[in-house]
Amino acid sequence: MSFTTATPRGRLQVTYSESSAPFAALFPEDGSNVLMYVHSDGDSYEQVEMSIGATDHDEQPPTADDCDNCGGCDCVGDWCLDGAVPRTHKNTCATCDNAECIITTTCAC
């Protein structure tokens, strides 16, 4: 389950997942790389700049309100839940949902 909201720095997505701790993704207004806020050590959140990239036909990172550049995946270490502590890698992918570019996740990449 996820929701999005506009902020002064860009669109913020907050996600509650069955396979990982809650996380947030910021799509910066300036078009720079997506910033993820992940709970990777089981104690606190950290900011990670994602290299999600773009679809094969475009070199721009995904944008919040444009599904044309929404695509690509990146792998974040020590993020999937294994018991009570995040331990395995998580695959994060940009995908278009209801005409909005969002970050989805699957464990093990």
Side-chain angles (χ1 to χ4, degrees):
M1 178 173 84
S2 62
F3 64 90
T4 60
T5 187
T7 73
R9 291 184 58 203
R11 185 174 58 90
L12 180 68
Q13 172 193 329
V14 177
T15 301
Y16 298 93
S17 171
E18 292 179 0
S19 59
S20 72
F23 68 90
L26 177 68
F27 293 79
E29 283 290 325
D30 64 6
S32 57
N33 284 339
V34 174
L35 298 175
M36 299 290 290
Y37 298 90
V38 297
H39 194 257
S40 63
D41 64 2
D43 259 341
S44 59
Y45 278 82
E46 66 177 291
Q47 178 179 307
V48 178
E49 185 173 342
M50 300 301 294
S51 299
I52 290 174
T55 57
D56 293 339
H57 65 276
D58 203 324
E59 294 301 316
Q60 296 298 313
T63 57
D65 57 357
D66 180 6
C67 284
D68 290 341
N69 293 332
C70 187
C73 297
D74 194 8
C75 193
V76 176
D78 299 326
W79 195 11
C80 289
L81 293 181
D82 183 1
V85 180
R87 293 188 183 157
T88 55
H89 289 74
K90 177 169 271 303
N91 199 31
T92 61
C93 298
T95 188
C96 191
D97 182 38
N98 282 338
E100 185 176 43
C101 189
I102 63 167
I103 302 296
T104 59
T105 57
T106 18
C107 283
C109 50

